[in-house]
Amino acid sequence: SKKNLMLPRQYGVNPDVIFPSMNHVSCAILSKGSDIPSEDALCYAIGKTMEAHPLLRATIEGNGEPDERIDLFKMVRKGDNSPCTFVAGSEAVFQADDVLKIVEVDDTDLKSSWRTTFLSDLDDGSTWCDVASGKTPLWKLELHRSSEQAALVFSFNHAISDQSSASRLTNQILSLAADFDNSTTKKKKPLRSR
């Protein structure tokens, strides 16, 4: 099943060699000024996005291990005593602060900062997404922010989305955050008297 492919799993003959879970990572570079969302706006946008998309608040139960492995290389699976199942209740198990991290950096370090996260999350999701435990979100956002620019890094386990969906979710989160910041700014501006 698709969910089995997204879990860390044995790769090859040696049972100690584990192939990491499959992840997607994307990054949106944001320019100075109004394009960089506030932390409150991102938390609001994440909450609304999690309400709309159940897999963003889901965990996976079951380890996907078969009853037995029946071939010479122990790769053919027989039986499914602990199938992987998405669990997403109507209430969010995770909140915005479970998936959002703000990283403040110097202007000269921004590219290095977000690229380090990007490559690390792409190569090894075990540092941020423990699919097997069912206790961590299957995605995360990091806003790497300097005084001039910001980079929003969106990392997620492939079990909940594909790359084209990631682009849509990034757009949705940034649009909701911009709307939040714009409405907050309008409320703070005094009305002009006539």
PDB file of all heavy atoms in Angstrom, residues 161-186:
ATOM      1  N   SER A 161       0.789  13.929   0.956  1.00  0.00           N
ATOM      2  CA  SER A 161       0.704  14.873  -0.146  1.00  0.00           C
ATOM      3  C   SER A 161       1.754  14.572  -1.207  1.00  0.00           C
ATOM      4  O   SER A 161       2.674  13.796  -0.988  1.00  0.00           O
ATOM      5  CB  SER A 161       0.904  16.300   0.391  1.00  0.00           C
ATOM      6  OG  SER A 161       0.605  17.247  -0.591  1.00  0.00           O
ATOM      7  N   ASP A 162       1.584  15.228  -2.341  1.00  0.00           N
ATOM      8  CA  ASP A 162       2.591  15.158  -3.393  1.00  0.00           C
ATOM      9  C   ASP A 162       3.104  16.573  -3.645  1.00  0.00           C
ATOM     10  O   ASP A 162       2.630  17.530  -3.030  1.00  0.00           O
ATOM     11  CB  ASP A 162       2.026  14.519  -4.664  1.00  0.00           C
ATOM     12  CG  ASP A 162       0.814  15.261  -5.203  1.00  0.00           C
ATOM     13  OD1 ASP A 162       0.602  16.432  -4.825  1.00  0.00           O
ATOM     14  OD2 ASP A 162       0.079  14.676  -6.001  1.00  0.00           O
ATOM     15  N   GLN A 163       4.044  16.721  -4.549  1.00  0.00           N
ATOM     16  CA  GLN A 163       4.668  18.028  -4.728  1.00  0.00           C
ATOM     17  C   GLN A 163       3.711  19.083  -5.269  1.00  0.00           C
ATOM     18  O   GLN A 163       3.758  20.232  -4.861  1.00  0.00           O
ATOM     19  CB  GLN A 163       5.898  17.915  -5.625  1.00  0.00           C
ATOM     20  CG  GLN A 163       6.787  19.139  -5.556  1.00  0.00           C
ATOM     21  CD  GLN A 163       7.296  19.425  -4.150  1.00  0.00           C
ATOM     22  OE1 GLN A 163       7.838  18.568  -3.492  1.00  0.00           O
ATOM     23  NE2 GLN A 163       7.100  20.642  -3.676  1.00  0.00           N
ATOM     24  N   SER A 164       2.807  18.711  -6.172  1.00  0.00           N
ATOM     25  CA  SER A 164       1.875  19.719  -6.691  1.00  0.00           C
ATOM     26  C   SER A 164       0.924  20.193  -5.588  1.00  0.00           C
ATOM     27  O   SER A 164       0.563  21.373  -5.535  1.00  0.00           O
ATOM     28  CB  SER A 164       1.102  19.191  -7.894  1.00  0.00           C
ATOM     29  OG  SER A 164       0.310  18.091  -7.537  1.00  0.00           O
ATOM     30  N   SER A 165       0.544  19.298  -4.711  1.00  0.00           N
ATOM     31  CA  SER A 165      -0.303  19.696  -3.585  1.00  0.00           C
ATOM     32  C   SER A 165       0.461  20.600  -2.632  1.00  0.00           C
ATOM     33  O   SER A 165      -0.118  21.515  -2.033  1.00  0.00           O
ATOM     34  CB  SER A 165      -0.806  18.475  -2.823  1.00  0.00           C
ATOM     35  OG  SER A 165      -1.588  17.662  -3.657  1.00  0.00           O
ATOM     36  N   ALA A 166       1.747  20.366  -2.487  1.00  0.00           N
ATOM     37  CA  ALA A 166       2.568  21.208  -1.606  1.00  0.00           C
ATOM     38  C   ALA A 166       2.557  22.651  -2.079  1.00  0.00           C
ATOM     39  O   ALA A 166       2.462  23.584  -1.280  1.00  0.00           O
ATOM     40  CB  ALA A 166       3.993  20.685  -1.549  1.00  0.00           C
ATOM     41  N   SER A 167       2.630  22.849  -3.381  1.00  0.00           N
ATOM     42  CA  SER A 167       2.598  24.209  -3.922  1.00  0.00           C
ATOM     43  C   SER A 167       1.256  24.870  -3.617  1.00  0.00           C
ATOM     44  O   SER A 167       1.201  26.039  -3.230  1.00  0.00           O
ATOM     45  CB  SER A 167       2.833  24.177  -5.429  1.00  0.00           C
ATOM     46  OG  SER A 167       4.113  23.661  -5.704  1.00  0.00           O
ATOM     47  N   ARG A 168       0.182  24.129  -3.764  1.00  0.00           N
ATOM     48  CA  ARG A 168      -1.141  24.685  -3.460  1.00  0.00           C
ATOM     49  C   ARG A 168      -1.284  24.997  -1.974  1.00  0.00           C
ATOM     50  O   ARG A 168      -1.853  26.018  -1.594  1.00  0.00           O
ATOM     51  CB  ARG A 168      -2.226  23.719  -3.904  1.00  0.00           C
ATOM     52  CG  ARG A 168      -2.343  23.646  -5.404  1.00  0.00           C
ATOM     53  CD  ARG A 168      -3.533  22.816  -5.833  1.00  0.00           C
ATOM     54  NE  ARG A 168      -3.612  22.815  -7.272  1.00  0.00           N
ATOM     55  CZ  ARG A 168      -3.889  21.766  -7.999  1.00  0.00           C
ATOM     56  NH1 ARG A 168      -4.157  20.623  -7.414  1.00  0.00           N
ATOM     57  NH2 ARG A 168      -3.940  21.849  -9.309  1.00  0.00           N
ATOM     58  N   LEU A 169      -0.800  24.102  -1.115  1.00  0.00           N
ATOM     59  CA  LEU A 169      -0.882  24.344   0.324  1.00  0.00           C
ATOM     60  C   LEU A 169      -0.028  25.543   0.732  1.00  0.00           C
ATOM     61  O   LEU A 169      -0.442  26.343   1.573  1.00  0.00           O
ATOM     62  CB  LEU A 169      -0.453  23.102   1.106  1.00  0.00           C
ATOM     63  CG  LEU A 169      -1.457  21.959   1.114  1.00  0.00           C
ATOM     64  CD1 LEU A 169      -0.840  20.702   1.713  1.00  0.00           C
ATOM     65  CD2 LEU A 169      -2.707  22.345   1.881  1.00  0.00           C
ATOM     66  N   THR A 170       1.149  25.670   0.139  1.00  0.00           N
ATOM     67  CA  THR A 170       2.000  26.821   0.433  1.00  0.00           C
ATOM     68  C   THR A 170       1.274  28.106   0.044  1.00  0.00           C
ATOM     69  O   THR A 170       1.246  29.072   0.813  1.00  0.00           O
ATOM     70  CB  THR A 170       3.353  26.709  -0.305  1.00  0.00           C
ATOM     71  OG1 THR A 170       4.004  25.511   0.111  1.00  0.00           O
ATOM     72  CG2 THR A 170       4.239  27.890  -0.007  1.00  0.00           C
ATOM     73  N   ASN A 171       0.681  28.121  -1.146  1.00  0.00           N
ATOM     74  CA  ASN A 171      -0.084  29.295  -1.580  1.00  0.00           C
ATOM     75  C   ASN A 171      -1.247  29.580  -0.641  1.00  0.00           C
ATOM     76  O   ASN A 171      -1.525  30.734  -0.307  1.00  0.00           O
ATOM     77  CB  ASN A 171      -0.594  29.110  -3.008  1.00  0.00           C
ATOM     78  CG  ASN A 171       0.498  29.246  -4.030  1.00  0.00           C
ATOM     79  OD1 ASN A 171       1.548  29.840  -3.770  1.00  0.00           O
ATOM     80  ND2 ASN A 171       0.280  28.694  -5.211  1.00  0.00           N
ATOM     81  N   GLN A 172      -1.948  28.530  -0.224  1.00  0.00           N
ATOM     82  CA  GLN A 172      -3.091  28.713   0.672  1.00  0.00           C
ATOM     83  C   GLN A 172      -2.632  29.311   2.003  1.00  0.00           C
ATOM     84  O   GLN A 172      -3.249  30.256   2.509  1.00  0.00           O
ATOM     85  CB  GLN A 172      -3.802  27.383   0.905  1.00  0.00           C
ATOM     86  CG  GLN A 172      -5.013  27.504   1.810  1.00  0.00           C
ATOM     87  CD  GLN A 172      -5.744  26.180   1.993  1.00  0.00           C
ATOM     88  OE1 GLN A 172      -5.314  25.135   1.531  1.00  0.00           O
ATOM     89  NE2 GLN A 172      -6.869  26.225   2.682  1.00  0.00           N
ATOM     90  N   ILE A 173      -1.567  28.771   2.570  1.00  0.00           N
ATOM     91  CA  ILE A 173      -1.060  29.272   3.850  1.00  0.00           C
ATOM     92  C   ILE A 173      -0.602  30.717   3.721  1.00  0.00           C
ATOM     93  O   ILE A 173      -0.935  31.570   4.560  1.00  0.00           O
ATOM     94  CB  ILE A 173       0.061  28.352   4.375  1.00  0.00           C
ATOM     95  CG1 ILE A 173      -0.534  27.014   4.830  1.00  0.00           C
ATOM     96  CG2 ILE A 173       0.831  29.016   5.517  1.00  0.00           C
ATOM     97  CD1 ILE A 173       0.474  25.923   5.109  1.00  0.00           C
ATOM     98  N   LEU A 174       0.138  31.035   2.672  1.00  0.00           N
ATOM     99  CA  LEU A 174       0.618  32.409   2.496  1.00  0.00           C
ATOM    100  C   LEU A 174      -0.538  33.384   2.234  1.00  0.00           C
ATOM    101  O   LEU A 174      -0.516  34.518   2.731  1.00  0.00           O
ATOM    102  CB  LEU A 174       1.653  32.467   1.379  1.00  0.00           C
ATOM    103  CG  LEU A 174       3.003  31.823   1.728  1.00  0.00           C
ATOM    104  CD1 LEU A 174       3.909  31.772   0.503  1.00  0.00           C
ATOM    105  CD2 LEU A 174       3.675  32.549   2.882  1.00  0.00           C
ATOM    106  N   SER A 175      -1.547  32.953   1.492  1.00  0.00           N
ATOM    107  CA  SER A 175      -2.713  33.821   1.241  1.00  0.00           C
ATOM    108  C   SER A 175      -3.489  34.092   2.528  1.00  0.00           C
ATOM    109  O   SER A 175      -3.873  35.233   2.808  1.00  0.00           O
ATOM    110  CB  SER A 175      -3.640  33.183   0.210  1.00  0.00           C
ATOM    111  OG  SER A 175      -3.020  33.117  -1.039  1.00  0.00           O
ATOM    112  N   LEU A 176      -3.725  33.036   3.304  1.00  0.00           N
ATOM    113  CA  LEU A 176      -4.426  33.212   4.579  1.00  0.00           C
ATOM    114  C   LEU A 176      -3.629  34.105   5.527  1.00  0.00           C
ATOM    115  O   LEU A 176      -4.197  34.957   6.221  1.00  0.00           O
ATOM    116  CB  LEU A 176      -4.694  31.854   5.230  1.00  0.00           C
ATOM    117  CG  LEU A 176      -5.791  31.003   4.604  1.00  0.00           C
ATOM    118  CD1 LEU A 176      -5.722  29.571   5.133  1.00  0.00           C
ATOM    119  CD2 LEU A 176      -7.155  31.611   4.859  1.00  0.00           C
ATOM    120  N   ALA A 177      -2.318  33.917   5.551  1.00  0.00           N
ATOM    121  CA  ALA A 177      -1.466  34.736   6.420  1.00  0.00           C
ATOM    122  C   ALA A 177      -1.490  36.199   5.978  1.00  0.00           C
ATOM    123  O   ALA A 177      -1.584  37.109   6.810  1.00  0.00           O
ATOM    124  CB  ALA A 177      -0.039  34.197   6.409  1.00  0.00           C
ATOM    125  N   ALA A 178      -1.429  36.440   4.672  1.00  0.00           N
ATOM    126  CA  ALA A 178      -1.481  37.816   4.156  1.00  0.00           C
ATOM    127  C   ALA A 178      -2.821  38.467   4.496  1.00  0.00           C
ATOM    128  O   ALA A 178      -2.869  39.631   4.918  1.00  0.00           O
ATOM    129  CB  ALA A 178      -1.239  37.826   2.655  1.00  0.00           C
ATOM    130  N   ASP A 179      -3.924  37.720   4.331  1.00  0.00           N
ATOM    131  CA  ASP A 179      -5.245  38.250   4.680  1.00  0.00           C
ATOM    132  C   ASP A 179      -5.308  38.611   6.162  1.00  0.00           C
ATOM    133  O   ASP A 179      -5.852  39.652   6.540  1.00  0.00           O
ATOM    134  CB  ASP A 179      -6.345  37.236   4.347  1.00  0.00           C
ATOM    135  CG  ASP A 179      -6.566  37.062   2.855  1.00  0.00           C
ATOM    136  OD1 ASP A 179      -6.058  37.894   2.067  1.00  0.00           O
ATOM    137  OD2 ASP A 179      -7.238  36.090   2.475  1.00  0.00           O
ATOM    138  N   PHE A 180      -4.753  37.749   6.994  1.00  0.00           N
ATOM    139  CA  PHE A 180      -4.738  37.997   8.439  1.00  0.00           C
ATOM    140  C   PHE A 180      -3.942  39.261   8.747  1.00  0.00           C
ATOM    141  O   PHE A 180      -4.408  40.134   9.483  1.00  0.00           O
ATOM    142  CB  PHE A 180      -4.142  36.792   9.173  1.00  0.00           C
ATOM    143  CG  PHE A 180      -4.077  36.966  10.661  1.00  0.00           C
ATOM    144  CD1 PHE A 180      -5.139  36.558  11.454  1.00  0.00           C
ATOM    145  CD2 PHE A 180      -2.963  37.523  11.276  1.00  0.00           C
ATOM    146  CE1 PHE A 180      -5.089  36.707  12.834  1.00  0.00           C
ATOM    147  CE2 PHE A 180      -2.905  37.684  12.656  1.00  0.00           C
ATOM    148  CZ  PHE A 180      -3.978  37.275  13.437  1.00  0.00           C
ATOM    149  N   ASP A 181      -2.733  39.357   8.203  1.00  0.00           N
ATOM    150  CA  ASP A 181      -1.900  40.539   8.464  1.00  0.00           C
ATOM    151  C   ASP A 181      -2.560  41.807   7.931  1.00  0.00           C
ATOM    152  O   ASP A 181      -2.526  42.850   8.593  1.00  0.00           O
ATOM    153  CB  ASP A 181      -0.508  40.371   7.855  1.00  0.00           C
ATOM    154  CG  ASP A 181       0.433  39.575   8.750  1.00  0.00           C
ATOM    155  OD1 ASP A 181       0.179  39.472   9.977  1.00  0.00           O
ATOM    156  OD2 ASP A 181       1.443  39.049   8.228  1.00  0.00           O
ATOM    157  N   ASN A 182      -3.164  41.731   6.748  1.00  0.00           N
ATOM    158  CA  ASN A 182      -3.831  42.905   6.183  1.00  0.00           C
ATOM    159  C   ASN A 182      -5.021  43.334   7.023  1.00  0.00           C
ATOM    160  O   ASN A 182      -5.229  44.522   7.241  1.00  0.00           O
ATOM    161  CB  ASN A 182      -4.270  42.645   4.743  1.00  0.00           C
ATOM    162  CG  ASN A 182      -3.096  42.586   3.789  1.00  0.00           C
ATOM    163  OD1 ASN A 182      -2.030  43.140   4.065  1.00  0.00           O
ATOM    164  ND2 ASN A 182      -3.281  41.904   2.677  1.00  0.00           N
ATOM    165  N   SER A 183      -5.815  42.383   7.504  1.00  0.00           N
ATOM    166  CA  SER A 183      -6.975  42.752   8.323  1.00  0.00           C
ATOM    167  C   SER A 183      -6.532  43.296   9.677  1.00  0.00           C
ATOM    168  O   SER A 183      -7.152  44.210  10.212  1.00  0.00           O
ATOM    169  CB  SER A 183      -7.915  41.557   8.503  1.00  0.00           C
ATOM    170  OG  SER A 183      -7.317  40.561   9.303  1.00  0.00           O
ATOM    171  N   THR A 184      -5.445  42.775  10.224  1.00  0.00           N
ATOM    172  CA  THR A 184      -4.919  43.265  11.498  1.00  0.00           C
ATOM    173  C   THR A 184      -4.377  44.682  11.327  1.00  0.00           C
ATOM    174  O   THR A 184      -4.597  45.552  12.169  1.00  0.00           O
ATOM    175  CB  THR A 184      -3.818  42.326  12.023  1.00  0.00           C
ATOM    176  OG1 THR A 184      -4.360  41.015  12.133  1.00  0.00           O
ATOM    177  CG2 THR A 184      -3.313  42.771  13.375  1.00  0.00           C
ATOM    178  N   THR A 185      -3.686  44.936  10.231  1.00  0.00           N
ATOM    179  CA  THR A 185      -3.125  46.262   9.963  1.00  0.00           C
ATOM    180  C   THR A 185      -4.239  47.285   9.787  1.00  0.00           C
ATOM    181  O   THR A 185      -4.165  48.391  10.314  1.00  0.00           O
ATOM    182  CB  THR A 185      -2.245  46.229   8.690  1.00  0.00           C
ATOM    183  OG1 THR A 185      -1.226  45.252   8.882  1.00  0.00           O
ATOM    184  CG2 THR A 185      -1.617  47.575   8.426  1.00  0.00           C
ATOM    185  N   LYS A 186      -5.296  46.908   9.074  1.00  0.00           N
ATOM    186  CA  LYS A 186      -6.411  47.827   8.866  1.00  0.00           C
ATOM    187  C   LYS A 186      -7.089  48.185  10.186  1.00  0.00           C
ATOM    188  O   LYS A 186      -7.513  49.309  10.397  1.00  0.00           O
ATOM    189  CB  LYS A 186      -7.432  47.223   7.904  1.00  0.00           C
ATOM    190  CG  LYS A 186      -6.955  47.198   6.475  1.00  0.00           C
ATOM    191  CD  LYS A 186      -7.962  46.508   5.580  1.00  0.00           C
ATOM    192  CE  LYS A 186      -7.386  46.364   4.173  1.00  0.00           C
ATOM    193  NZ  LYS A 186      -8.244  45.561   3.317  1.00  0.00           N
TER     194      LYS A 186
END
